[in-house]
Amino acid sequence: CVYYGWTKVGDKLFCREGYTDGDAVLAHLGNVGSCIDKLLAGPCKLDRIEFHGPAAELEKLKKTAANLGAALYAHDSGFQRYEKA
């Protein structure tokens, strides 16, 4: 995970996370899947989930995104200030 944080607006929490690539996202989802299932079964409601990134990386997430009902957004422009190790 490159970054992780929460924003609270009224009664809503927004979680933003950043990963180096689509494979890292898939690994993370595999690690937290059961925890997310437990949260959604009781105290939390997921309004939406979105994946933003380069089109080639989003391609790796298509099946998982479809299973989650997630939206995919390909980057149009921007920059990044990190390097893969």
Side-chain angles (χ1 to χ4, degrees), residues 46-80:
L46 182 65
D47 289 337
R48 70 177 185 254
I49 185 168
E50 301 173 354
F51 296 104
H52 299 249
E57 297 303 318
L58 293 176
E59 191 65 33
K60 298 174 184 179
L61 303 177
K62 275 189 174 179
K63 182 179 177 183
T64 299
N67 291 339
L68 292 170
L72 299 172
Y73 296 97
H75 281 172
D76 186 303
S77 61
F79 72 94
Q80 61 191 31

Side-chain angles (χ1 to χ4, degrees), residues 2-4 7 22 25 29 33-34 46 58-59 63 73 79 82:
V2 176
Y3 69 86
Y4 175 87
T7 303
V25 173
L29 291 173
S34 62
L46 182 65
L58 293 176
E59 191 65 33
K63 182 179 177 183
Y73 296 97
F79 72 94
Y82 68 91

Side-chain angles (χ1 to χ4, degrees), residues 10-22:
D11 65 348
K12 295 191 183 277
L13 284 174
F14 297 87
C15 179
R16 291 189 172 84
E17 302 175 18
Y19 295 88
T20 55
D21 57 25

Side-chain angles (χ1 to χ4, degrees), residues 20-35:
T20 55
D21 57 25
D23 294 322
V25 173
L26 292 172
H28 171 68
L29 291 173
N31 290 332
V32 300
S34 62
C35 180

